[in-house]
Coordinates of all heavy atoms in Angstrom, one line a residue:
M1 N -5.5 -5.4 -7.6 CA -4.8 -4.9 -6.5 C -4.7 -3.4 -6.7 O -4.3 -2.9 -7.7 CB -3.4 -5.6 -6.3 CG -2.7 -5.0 -5.2 SD -1.1 -5.7 -5.0 CE -1.6 -7.2 -4.1
K2 N -4.9 -2.6 -5.6 CA -4.8 -1.2 -5.6 C -3.4 -0.9 -5.1 O -2.8 -1.7 -4.3 CB -5.8 -0.6 -4.7 CG -7.2 -0.8 -5.3 CD -8.2 -0.1 -4.3 CE -9.6 -0.4 -4.8 NZ -10.6 0.1 -3.8
A3 N -2.9 0.3 -5.4 CA -1.5 0.7 -4.9 C -1.4 0.7 -3.4 O -0.4 0.3 -2.9 CB -1.2 2.1 -5.5
E4 N -2.5 1.1 -2.8 CA -2.4 1.1 -1.3 C -2.4 -0.3 -0.7 O -2.1 -0.5 0.5 CB -3.6 2.0 -0.7 CG -4.9 1.5 -1.2 CD -5.4 2.3 -2.4 OE1 -4.7 3.0 -3.0 OE2 -6.6 2.0 -2.7
D5 N -2.6 -1.3 -1.5 CA -2.6 -2.7 -0.9 C -1.2 -3.3 -1.0 O -0.9 -4.4 -0.5 CB -3.5 -3.6 -1.8 CG -4.9 -3.2 -1.6 OD1 -5.3 -2.7 -0.6 OD2 -5.7 -3.5 -2.6
I6 N -0.2 -2.6 -1.7 CA 1.1 -3.1 -1.8 C 1.9 -2.8 -0.5 O 1.9 -1.7 0.1 CB 1.9 -2.4 -3.0 CG1 1.2 -2.7 -4.3 CG2 3.3 -2.8 -3.0 CD1 1.6 -2.0 -5.5
C7 N 2.5 -3.9 0.0 CA 3.2 -3.9 1.3 C 4.7 -4.3 1.1 O 5.6 -3.8 1.8 CB 2.6 -4.7 2.4 SG 1.0 -4.2 2.9
K8 N 4.9 -5.3 0.2 CA 6.2 -5.9 0.0 C 6.6 -5.8 -1.5 O 5.8 -6.2 -2.3 CB 6.2 -7.3 0.4 CG 7.6 -7.9 0.4 CD 7.6 -9.3 0.9 CE 7.5 -9.4 2.4 NZ 7.6 -10.8 3.0
V9 N 7.8 -5.2 -1.7 CA 8.2 -5.0 -3.1 C 9.6 -5.7 -3.3 O 10.4 -5.8 -2.3 CB 8.5 -3.5 -3.3 CG1 9.0 -3.3 -4.7 CG2 7.2 -2.7 -3.1
V10 N 9.8 -6.3 -4.5 CA 11.0 -6.9 -4.8 C 11.6 -6.1 -5.9 O 11.0 -5.9 -6.9 CB 10.9 -8.4 -5.2 CG1 12.1 -9.0 -5.7 CG2 10.4 -9.2 -4.1
V11 N 12.9 -5.7 -5.8 CA 13.6 -5.0 -6.8 C 14.8 -5.9 -7.3 O 15.7 -6.3 -6.5 CB 14.2 -3.7 -6.3 CG1 15.0 -2.9 -7.4 CG2 13.1 -2.8 -5.7
V12 N 14.7 -6.2 -8.5 CA 15.7 -7.1 -9.2 C 16.6 -6.2 -10.0 O 16.2 -5.6 -11.0 CB 15.1 -8.2 -10.1 CG1 16.1 -9.0 -10.7 CG2 14.1 -9.1 -9.2
G13 N 17.8 -6.1 -9.5 CA 18.8 -5.2 -10.2 C 19.1 -4.0 -9.2 O 18.2 -3.2 -8.9
T14 N 20.3 -3.9 -8.7 CA 20.6 -2.9 -7.7 C 21.5 -1.9 -8.2 O 22.3 -1.3 -7.4 CB 21.1 -3.6 -6.5 OG1 22.3 -4.4 -6.8 CG2 20.1 -4.5 -5.8
G15 N 21.5 -1.5 -9.5 CA 22.3 -0.4 -10.0 C 21.6 0.9 -9.5 O 20.9 0.9 -8.6
A16 N 22.0 2.0 -10.2 CA 21.6 3.3 -9.8 C 20.0 3.4 -9.7 O 19.4 4.0 -8.8 CB 22.1 4.4 -10.7
M17 N 19.3 2.9 -10.7 CA 17.9 2.9 -10.7 C 17.3 2.0 -9.6 O 16.4 2.5 -8.9 CB 17.3 2.5 -12.1 CG 17.4 3.6 -13.2 SD 16.7 3.0 -14.7 CE 15.0 2.7 -14.3
G18 N 17.8 0.8 -9.5 CA 17.3 -0.1 -8.5 C 17.4 0.5 -7.1 O 16.6 0.4 -6.3
E19 N 18.6 1.1 -6.9 CA 18.9 1.7 -5.6 C 17.9 2.8 -5.3 O 17.3 2.8 -4.2 CB 20.3 2.3 -5.6 CG 20.6 3.2 -4.5 CD 21.7 4.2 -5.0 OE1 22.7 3.8 -5.6 OE2 21.5 5.4 -4.7
G20 N 17.6 3.7 -6.2 CA 16.7 4.8 -6.0 C 15.3 4.3 -5.8 O 14.5 4.8 -4.9
I21 N 14.9 3.3 -6.6 CA 13.6 2.7 -6.4 C 13.4 2.1 -5.0 O 12.4 2.3 -4.3 CB 13.3 1.6 -7.5 CG1 13.2 2.4 -8.8 CG2 12.1 0.8 -7.2 CD1 13.3 1.4 -10.0
A22 N 14.4 1.2 -4.6 CA 14.3 0.6 -3.3 C 14.3 1.7 -2.2 O 13.5 1.6 -1.2 CB 15.6 -0.3 -3.1
Q23 N 15.1 2.7 -2.2 CA 15.1 3.7 -1.2 C 13.7 4.4 -1.2 O 13.2 4.7 -0.1 CB 16.2 4.7 -1.5 CG 16.2 5.8 -0.4 CD 17.3 6.8 -0.6 OE1 18.4 6.5 -1.2 NE2 17.1 8.1 -0.2
N24 N 13.2 4.8 -2.3 CA 11.9 5.5 -2.4 C 10.8 4.6 -1.7 O 9.9 5.2 -1.0 CB 11.5 5.9 -3.8 CG 12.3 7.2 -4.1 OD1 11.9 8.3 -3.6 ND2 13.2 7.1 -5.0
F25 N 10.7 3.4 -2.1 CA 9.7 2.5 -1.5 C 9.9 2.4 0.0 O 8.9 2.4 0.8 CB 9.7 1.2 -2.2 CG 8.8 1.1 -3.5 CD1 9.5 0.9 -4.7 CD2 7.5 1.3 -3.4 CE1 8.7 0.9 -5.9 CE2 6.7 1.3 -4.6 CZ 7.3 1.1 -5.8
A26 N 11.1 2.2 0.4 CA 11.3 2.1 1.9 C 11.0 3.4 2.6 O 10.4 3.4 3.7 CB 12.8 1.8 2.1
Q27 N 11.3 4.5 2.0 CA 10.8 5.8 2.6 C 9.4 5.9 2.7 O 8.8 6.7 3.5 CB 11.5 7.0 1.8 CG 13.0 7.2 2.2 CD 13.5 8.4 1.5 OE1 14.3 8.3 0.6 NE2 13.0 9.6 1.8
A28 N 8.7 5.3 1.8 CA 7.2 5.3 1.8 C 6.6 4.3 2.7 O 5.4 4.2 2.9 CB 6.7 5.0 0.3
G29 N 7.5 3.6 3.4 CA 7.0 2.6 4.5 C 6.8 1.2 4.0 O 6.3 0.4 4.8
L30 N 7.2 0.9 2.8 CA 7.1 -0.5 2.3 C 8.3 -1.4 2.6 O 9.4 -0.8 2.8 CB 6.8 -0.5 0.8 CG 5.4 -0.1 0.4 CD1 5.2 1.4 0.4 CD2 5.2 -0.6 -1.0
S31 N 8.1 -2.6 2.7 CA 9.2 -3.6 2.9 C 9.8 -3.8 1.5 O 9.0 -4.1 0.6 CB 8.6 -4.9 3.5 OG 9.6 -5.9 3.5
V32 N 11.1 -3.8 1.4 CA 11.8 -3.9 0.1 C 12.8 -5.0 0.1 O 13.7 -5.0 1.0 CB 12.4 -2.5 -0.3 CG1 13.0 -2.7 -1.7 CG2 11.4 -1.4 -0.3
L33 N 12.7 -5.9 -0.8 CA 13.7 -7.0 -0.9 C 14.5 -6.7 -2.2 O 13.9 -6.4 -3.2 CB 13.1 -8.3 -1.0 CG 12.3 -8.8 0.3 CD1 11.5 -10.0 0.0 CD2 13.2 -8.9 1.4
I34 N 15.8 -6.7 -2.1 CA 16.7 -6.4 -3.3 C 17.6 -7.6 -3.7 O 18.0 -8.3 -2.8 CB 17.5 -5.2 -3.1 CG1 18.5 -5.3 -1.9 CG2 16.6 -3.9 -2.9 CD1 19.5 -4.2 -1.7
T35 N 17.9 -7.7 -4.9 CA 18.8 -8.8 -5.4 C 19.4 -8.3 -6.7 O 18.9 -7.4 -7.4 CB 18.1 -10.1 -5.6 OG1 19.1 -11.1 -5.7 CG2 17.2 -10.2 -6.8
D36 N 20.5 -9.0 -7.1 CA 21.2 -8.7 -8.3 C 22.0 -9.9 -8.7 O 22.4 -10.7 -7.9 CB 22.2 -7.5 -8.1 CG 22.6 -6.9 -9.4 OD1 23.4 -7.5 -10.2 OD2 22.2 -5.7 -9.7
I37 N 22.2 -10.1 -10.0 CA 23.0 -11.2 -10.5 C 24.4 -11.1 -10.0 O 25.1 -12.1 -9.8 CB 22.9 -11.3 -12.0 CG1 23.3 -12.7 -12.4 CG2 23.7 -10.2 -12.7 CD1 22.8 -13.1 -13.8
D38 N 24.9 -9.9 -9.7 CA 26.3 -9.6 -9.2 C 26.1 -9.7 -7.7 O 25.5 -8.9 -7.0 CB 26.7 -8.2 -9.6 CG 28.0 -7.8 -9.0 OD1 28.6 -8.6 -8.1 OD2 28.5 -6.7 -9.3
N39 N 26.8 -10.7 -7.1 CA 26.7 -11.0 -5.7 C 27.0 -9.8 -4.7 O 26.4 -9.6 -3.7 CB 27.5 -12.2 -5.2 CG 27.0 -13.5 -5.8 OD1 25.8 -13.6 -6.1 ND2 27.9 -14.5 -6.1
G40 N 28.0 -9.0 -5.1 CA 28.3 -7.8 -4.3 C 27.5 -6.6 -4.5 O 27.6 -5.6 -3.8
A41 N 26.7 -6.6 -5.5 CA 25.9 -5.4 -5.9 C 24.9 -5.0 -4.8 O 24.7 -3.8 -4.6 CB 25.2 -5.6 -7.2
A42 N 24.3 -5.9 -4.2 CA 23.3 -5.6 -3.1 C 23.9 -4.8 -2.0 O 23.4 -3.9 -1.5 CB 22.5 -6.8 -2.7
E43 N 25.2 -5.3 -1.6 CA 25.9 -4.6 -0.5 C 26.3 -3.2 -0.9 O 26.2 -2.3 -0.1 CB 27.1 -5.4 -0.1 CG 26.7 -6.7 0.6 CD 25.7 -6.5 1.8 OE1 25.9 -5.6 2.6 OE2 24.7 -7.3 1.9
R44 N 26.7 -3.0 -2.2 CA 27.1 -1.7 -2.6 C 25.8 -0.8 -2.7 O 25.9 0.4 -2.4 CB 27.7 -1.8 -4.0 CG 29.1 -2.4 -4.0 CD 29.9 -2.3 -5.3 NE 29.2 -2.9 -6.4 CZ 29.4 -4.2 -6.8 NH1 30.2 -5.0 -6.0 NH2 28.8 -4.7 -7.8
C45 N 24.7 -1.4 -3.1 CA 23.4 -0.7 -3.1 C 23.1 -0.1 -1.7 O 22.7 1.0 -1.5 CB 22.3 -1.5 -3.6 SG 20.7 -0.9 -3.6
L46 N 23.2 -1.0 -0.7 CA 22.9 -0.6 0.7 C 23.8 0.5 1.1 O 23.4 1.4 1.8 CB 22.9 -1.8 1.6 CG 21.8 -2.9 1.4 CD1 22.1 -4.1 2.2 CD2 20.5 -2.3 1.7
A47 N 25.1 0.4 0.8 CA 26.0 1.5 1.2 C 25.7 2.8 0.5 O 25.7 3.8 1.1 CB 27.5 1.0 0.8
Q48 N 25.3 2.7 -0.7 CA 24.9 4.0 -1.4 C 23.6 4.6 -0.8 O 23.5 5.8 -0.7 CB 24.7 3.7 -2.9 CG 24.4 5.0 -3.7 CD 25.5 6.1 -3.5 OE1 26.7 5.8 -3.6 NE2 25.0 7.3 -3.3
I49 N 22.6 3.7 -0.5 CA 21.5 4.2 0.2 C 21.8 4.8 1.6 O 21.2 5.9 1.9 CB 20.4 3.0 0.4 CG1 19.8 2.6 -1.0 CG2 19.3 3.4 1.4 CD1 19.0 1.4 -1.0
D50 N 22.8 4.2 2.3 CA 23.2 4.9 3.5 C 23.7 6.3 3.2 O 23.3 7.2 4.0 CB 24.4 4.1 4.2 CG 23.9 3.0 5.0 OD1 22.8 3.0 5.5 OD2 24.8 2.1 5.2
S51 N 24.5 6.5 2.2 CA 25.0 7.8 1.9 C 23.9 8.7 1.5 O 23.9 9.9 1.9 CB 26.0 7.7 0.7 OG 27.1 7.0 1.1
S52 N 23.0 8.3 0.7 CA 21.9 9.1 0.2 C 21.0 9.6 1.5 O 20.6 10.7 1.6 CB 21.0 8.3 -0.7 OG 21.7 8.1 -1.9
L53 N 20.7 8.6 2.4 CA 19.9 8.9 3.5 C 20.7 9.9 4.4 O 20.0 10.8 5.0 CB 19.6 7.6 4.3 CG 18.5 6.8 3.6 CD1 18.4 5.5 4.4 CD2 17.2 7.4 3.4
A54 N 22.0 9.8 4.5 CA 22.8 10.7 5.3 C 22.6 12.1 4.7 O 22.5 13.1 5.5 CB 24.2 10.3 5.4
L55 N 22.7 12.2 3.4 CA 22.5 13.5 2.7 C 21.2 14.1 3.0 O 21.0 15.3 3.3 CB 22.8 13.4 1.3 CG 22.6 14.7 0.4 CD1 23.5 15.8 0.9 CD2 22.8 14.4 -1.0
F56 N 20.1 13.3 2.8 CA 18.8 13.6 3.1 C 18.6 14.1 4.5 O 17.9 15.1 4.8 CB 17.8 12.5 2.8 CG 17.5 12.2 1.3 CD1 18.4 12.5 0.3 CD2 16.3 11.7 1.0 CE1 18.1 12.2 -1.0 CE2 16.0 11.4 -0.4 CZ 16.9 11.7 -1.3
R57 N 19.2 13.5 5.5 CA 19.2 13.9 6.9 C 19.8 15.3 7.1 O 19.3 16.1 7.7 CB 19.8 12.8 7.8 CG 19.7 13.1 9.2 CD 20.3 12.1 10.1 NE 21.7 11.6 9.7 CZ 21.9 10.4 9.3 NH1 21.0 9.5 9.3 NH2 23.1 10.0 8.9
E58 N 21.0 15.5 6.4 CA 21.7 16.8 6.5 C 20.8 17.9 5.9 O 20.8 19.0 6.5 CB 23.0 16.7 5.7 CG 24.1 16.0 6.4 CD 25.4 15.9 5.5 OE1 25.5 16.8 4.7 OE2 26.1 14.9 5.7
L59 N 20.1 17.6 4.9 CA 19.2 18.6 4.3 C 17.8 18.6 4.9 O 16.9 19.4 4.4 CB 19.1 18.3 2.8 CG 20.4 18.3 2.0 CD1 20.1 17.8 0.6 CD2 20.9 19.7 2.0
D60 N 17.6 17.9 6.0 CA 16.4 17.8 6.7 C 15.2 17.4 5.8 O 14.1 18.0 5.9 CB 16.1 19.2 7.4 CG 15.0 19.1 8.5 OD1 15.0 18.0 9.2 OD2 14.3 20.1 8.7
L61 N 15.4 16.4 5.0 CA 14.4 16.0 4.1 C 13.8 14.6 4.5 O 12.9 14.1 3.8 CB 15.0 15.8 2.7 CG 15.5 17.0 2.0 CD1 16.3 16.7 0.8 CD2 14.4 18.0 1.8
L62 N 14.1 14.1 5.7 CA 13.6 12.8 6.1 C 12.5 13.0 7.1 O 12.7 13.9 8.1 CB 14.7 11.9 6.7 CG 15.7 11.4 5.8 CD1 16.8 10.6 6.5 CD2 15.1 10.6 4.6
K63 N 11.4 12.3 7.1 CA 10.4 12.4 8.0 C 10.5 11.5 9.2 O 9.8 11.5 10.2 CB 9.0 12.1 7.3 CG 8.7 13.2 6.3 CD 7.4 12.9 5.6 CE 7.2 14.0 4.6 NZ 6.0 13.8 3.7
E64 N 11.4 10.5 9.0 CA 11.7 9.5 10.1 C 13.2 9.2 10.1 O 13.9 9.5 9.2 CB 10.9 8.2 9.9 CG 11.1 7.5 8.6 CD 10.0 6.4 8.4 OE1 9.5 5.9 9.4 OE2 10.0 5.9 7.3
D65 N 13.6 8.4 11.1 CA 15.0 8.1 11.3 C 15.5 7.2 10.1 O 14.8 6.3 9.6 CB 15.2 7.3 12.6 CG 16.7 7.1 12.9 OD1 17.3 8.1 13.2 OD2 17.1 6.0 12.8
A66 N 16.7 7.6 9.6 CA 17.3 6.8 8.4 C 17.5 5.4 8.7 O 17.3 4.5 7.9 CB 18.7 7.5 8.1
S67 N 17.8 5.0 10.0 CA 18.0 3.6 10.3 C 16.6 2.8 10.2 O 16.6 1.6 9.9 CB 18.6 3.4 11.7 OG 17.7 4.0 12.7
L68 N 15.5 3.4 10.5 CA 14.2 2.8 10.4 C 13.9 2.6 8.9 O 13.4 1.5 8.5 CB 13.1 3.7 11.0 CG 11.7 3.1 11.0 CD1 11.7 1.8 11.6 CD2 10.8 4.1 11.6
I69 N 14.2 3.6 8.0 CA 14.0 3.4 6.6 C 14.9 2.3 6.1 O 14.4 1.4 5.4 CB 14.4 4.7 5.9 CG1 13.4 5.9 6.3 CG2 14.4 4.5 4.3 CD1 13.8 7.2 5.9
K70 N 16.2 2.3 6.5 CA 17.1 1.2 6.0 C 16.7 -0.1 6.5 O 16.9 -1.1 5.8 CB 18.5 1.6 6.4 CG 19.5 0.6 6.0 CD 20.7 1.2 5.2 CE 21.5 0.1 4.7 NZ 22.6 -0.2 5.5
S71 N 16.1 -0.3 7.7 CA 15.7 -1.5 8.2 C 14.6 -2.2 7.3 O 14.4 -3.4 7.4 CB 15.2 -1.4 9.6 OG 13.9 -0.8 9.7
R72 N 13.9 -1.4 6.4 CA 12.9 -2.0 5.6 C 13.4 -2.6 4.3 O 12.7 -3.2 3.5 CB 11.9 -0.9 5.2 CG 11.1 -0.3 6.4 CD 10.1 0.6 5.9 NE 9.5 1.3 7.0 CZ 9.6 2.6 7.2 NH1 10.3 3.4 6.4 NH2 9.0 3.2 8.3
I73 N 14.8 -2.4 4.1 CA 15.4 -3.0 2.9 C 16.3 -4.1 3.3 O 17.2 -4.1 4.2 CB 16.3 -1.9 2.2 CG1 15.5 -0.6 2.0 CG2 16.9 -2.4 1.0 CD1 16.3 0.6 1.5
A74 N 16.1 -5.3 2.6 CA 16.9 -6.5 2.8 C 17.3 -7.2 1.6 O 16.5 -7.3 0.6 CB 16.1 -7.5 3.7
P75 N 18.6 -7.5 1.5 CA 19.0 -8.2 0.3 C 18.7 -9.7 0.4 O 18.5 -10.2 1.5 CB 20.5 -8.1 0.3 CG 20.9 -7.9 1.8 CD 19.6 -7.2 2.4
F76 N 18.6 -10.4 -0.7 CA 18.4 -11.8 -0.8 C 19.2 -12.4 -2.0 O 19.4 -11.6 -3.0 CB 17.0 -12.2 -0.8 CG 16.2 -11.9 -2.1 CD1 16.1 -12.9 -3.0 CD2 15.7 -10.7 -2.3 CE1 15.5 -12.6 -4.3 CE2 15.0 -10.4 -3.5 CZ 14.9 -11.4 -4.5
P77 N 19.6 -13.6 -2.0 CA 20.4 -14.2 -3.1 C 19.5 -14.4 -4.3 O 18.3 -14.8 -4.1 CB 20.9 -15.5 -2.6 CG 20.1 -15.8 -1.3 CD 19.5 -14.5 -0.8
M78 N 20.0 -14.2 -5.5 CA 19.2 -14.4 -6.7 C 18.7 -15.8 -6.8 O 17.6 -16.0 -7.4 CB 20.2 -14.0 -7.9 CG 19.5 -14.2 -9.2 SD 18.2 -12.9 -9.5 CE 19.2 -11.6 -10.1
E79 N 19.4 -16.7 -6.2 CA 18.9 -18.1 -6.3 C 17.5 -18.3 -5.7 O 16.8 -19.3 -5.9 CB 19.9 -19.1 -5.6 CG 21.3 -19.2 -6.3 CD 22.1 -18.0 -6.0 OE1 22.0 -17.3 -4.9 OE2 23.1 -17.8 -6.7
R80 N 17.1 -17.4 -4.8 CA 15.8 -17.6 -4.1 C 14.7 -16.7 -4.8 O 13.6 -16.6 -4.3 CB 15.9 -17.0 -2.7 CG 16.8 -18.0 -1.8 CD 16.8 -17.7 -0.3 NE 15.4 -17.5 0.2 CZ 15.0 -16.4 0.9 NH1 15.9 -15.5 1.3 NH2 13.8 -16.3 1.3
L81 N 15.0 -16.1 -6.0 CA 14.1 -15.2 -6.6 C 12.7 -15.8 -6.8 O 11.7 -15.2 -6.5 CB 14.6 -14.8 -8.0 CG 13.8 -13.8 -8.8 CD1 13.6 -12.5 -8.0 CD2 14.5 -13.5 -10.1
T82 N 12.6 -17.0 -7.3 CA 11.3 -17.6 -7.6 C 10.5 -17.7 -6.3 O 9.3 -17.3 -6.2 CB 11.4 -19.0 -8.2 OG1 12.2 -18.9 -9.4 CG2 10.1 -19.6 -8.5
E83 N 11.1 -18.1 -5.2 CA 10.5 -18.3 -3.9 C 10.0 -16.9 -3.4 O 8.9 -16.7 -2.9 CB 11.5 -18.9 -2.9 CG 11.1 -18.8 -1.5 CD 12.2 -19.2 -0.5 OE1 13.3 -19.7 -1.0 OE2 12.1 -18.8 0.6
V84 N 10.9 -15.9 -3.5 CA 10.6 -14.6 -2.9 C 9.6 -13.9 -3.7 O 8.6 -13.3 -3.1 CB 11.9 -13.7 -3.0 CG1 11.6 -12.3 -2.6 CG2 12.9 -14.3 -1.9
I85 N 9.5 -13.9 -5.0 CA 8.5 -13.2 -5.8 C 7.1 -13.7 -5.6 O 6.1 -13.1 -5.8 CB 8.8 -13.1 -7.3 CG1 8.9 -14.5 -7.9 CG2 10.1 -12.3 -7.5 CD1 9.1 -14.4 -9.4
Q86 N 7.0 -15.0 -5.1 CA 5.7 -15.6 -4.9 C 5.1 -15.0 -3.6 O 3.9 -15.1 -3.4 CB 5.8 -17.1 -4.7 CG 6.1 -17.8 -6.0 CD 6.4 -19.2 -5.9 OE1 6.3 -19.8 -4.8 NE2 6.6 -20.0 -7.0
K87 N 5.9 -14.3 -2.8 CA 5.4 -13.7 -1.5 C 5.4 -12.2 -1.6 O 5.2 -11.6 -0.5 CB 6.3 -14.2 -0.4 CG 6.3 -15.7 -0.2 CD 7.4 -16.1 0.9 CE 7.5 -17.6 1.0 NZ 8.6 -18.0 1.9
C88 N 5.6 -11.6 -2.7 CA 5.6 -10.2 -2.8 C 4.4 -9.6 -3.5 O 3.7 -10.3 -4.1 CB 6.9 -9.7 -3.6 SG 6.8 -9.9 -5.3
D89 N 4.2 -8.3 -3.3 CA 3.0 -7.6 -3.9 C 3.4 -7.0 -5.2 O 2.5 -6.7 -6.0 CB 2.5 -6.6 -2.9 CG 2.1 -7.2 -1.6 OD1 1.4 -8.3 -1.6 OD2 2.4 -6.7 -0.5
C90 N 4.6 -6.7 -5.4 CA 5.1 -5.9 -6.6 C 6.5 -6.3 -6.9 O 7.4 -6.4 -6.0 CB 4.9 -4.4 -6.3 SG 5.4 -3.4 -7.7
L91 N 6.8 -6.6 -8.2 CA 8.1 -7.0 -8.6 C 8.6 -5.9 -9.6 O 7.8 -5.6 -10.6 CB 8.1 -8.3 -9.3 CG 9.4 -8.7 -10.0 CD1 10.5 -8.9 -9.1 CD2 9.2 -10.0 -10.9
L92 N 9.8 -5.3 -9.4 CA 10.3 -4.3 -10.3 C 11.6 -4.7 -10.8 O 12.5 -5.2 -10.0 CB 10.5 -3.0 -9.5 CG 9.1 -2.4 -9.0 CD1 9.3 -1.4 -7.9 CD2 8.4 -1.8 -10.1
R93 N 11.8 -4.5 -12.0 CA 13.1 -4.9 -12.7 C 13.5 -3.7 -13.4 O 13.1 -3.4 -14.6 CB 13.0 -6.1 -13.6 CG 14.2 -6.5 -14.2 CD 14.0 -7.8 -15.0 NE 15.2 -8.0 -15.9 CZ 15.1 -7.7 -17.3 NH1 14.0 -7.2 -17.8 NH2 16.2 -7.9 -18.0
P94 N 14.4 -2.8 -12.9 CA 14.9 -1.7 -13.6 C 15.6 -2.1 -14.9 O 16.0 -3.2 -15.1 CB 15.9 -1.0 -12.6 CG 15.5 -1.5 -11.3 CD 14.9 -2.9 -11.5
F95 N 15.7 -1.1 -15.7 CA 16.3 -1.4 -17.1 C 17.6 -2.1 -16.9 O 18.5 -1.8 -16.1 CB 16.6 0.0 -17.8 CG 16.9 -0.2 -19.2 CD1 15.9 -0.3 -20.2 CD2 18.2 -0.1 -19.7 CE1 16.1 -0.5 -21.5 CE2 18.5 -0.3 -21.0 CZ 17.4 -0.5 -21.9
P96 N 17.8 -3.2 -17.7 CA 19.0 -4.0 -17.5 C 20.3 -3.3 -17.9 O 20.2 -2.4 -18.7 CB 18.7 -5.2 -18.5 CG 17.7 -4.7 -19.4 CD 16.9 -3.7 -18.7
R97 N 21.4 -3.8 -17.4 CA 22.7 -3.2 -17.7 C 22.9 -3.5 -19.2 O 22.6 -4.6 -19.7 CB 23.7 -3.8 -16.9 CG 23.6 -3.4 -15.4 CD 24.8 -4.0 -14.7 NE 24.3 -4.1 -13.3 CZ 24.8 -4.9 -12.4 NH1 25.7 -5.8 -12.8 NH2 24.3 -4.9 -11.2
I98 N 23.6 -2.6 -19.9 CA 24.0 -2.8 -21.3 C 25.4 -3.0 -21.4 O 26.2 -2.4 -20.7 CB 23.5 -1.5 -22.1 CG1 22.0 -1.4 -22.1 CG2 24.0 -1.7 -23.6 CD1 21.4 -0.2 -22.7

């Protein structure tokens, strides 16, 4: 598979690294699914991405509307991980929490 063939990415772990990875892939136009073992972490991740996109908008660094970028990111429960990764093109697991 070539990089340009990747359309759907799964990010497992929504800490600072996972959040940044998810946002970057969404800004590149890819569909991003996020999950974390901590049930509230995905929602915190989405809130932080909102803040980051707002800052990027203020600095005129976005090429498209922030809501469109955010619409490409969706959380899913960790219990569905096996099912979800079978349908993705790329799986990323940022460095685990210590």
Side-chain angles (χ1 to χ4, degrees):
M1 175 180 284
K2 297 179 184 177
E4 54 268 8
D5 296 332
I6 297 173
C7 297
K8 186 179 287 186
V9 176
V10 173
V11 178
V12 178
T14 56
M17 282 181 62
E19 164 210 315
I21 291 167
Q23 180 178 332
N24 277 290
F25 275 115
Q27 282 184 247
L30 283 79
S31 173
V32 182
L33 298 169
I34 60 172
T35 193
D36 197 291
I37 197 157
D38 174 356
N39 292 331
E43 292 306 317
R44 291 189 298 272
C45 173
L46 292 172
Q48 185 56 47
I49 289 172
D50 275 339
S51 296
S52 295
L53 291 173
L55 176 61
F56 281 31
R57 184 177 45 244
E58 286 177 27
L59 298 173
D60 198 31
L61 298 173
L62 295 180
K63 295 179 181 174
E64 60 187 343
D65 189 72
S67 62
L68 182 59
I69 295 167
K70 181 126 184 268
S71 73
R72 294 186 190 114
I73 305 170
F76 70 94
M78 182 66 86
E79 295 79 21
R80 291 189 50 226
L81 182 60
T82 302
E83 168 195 343
V84 171
I85 62 174
Q86 292 175 359
K87 299 174 187 174
C88 75
D89 302 315
C90 182
L91 171 66
L92 298 159
R93 184 177 162 256
F95 194 80
R97 294 182 202 154
I98 297 175

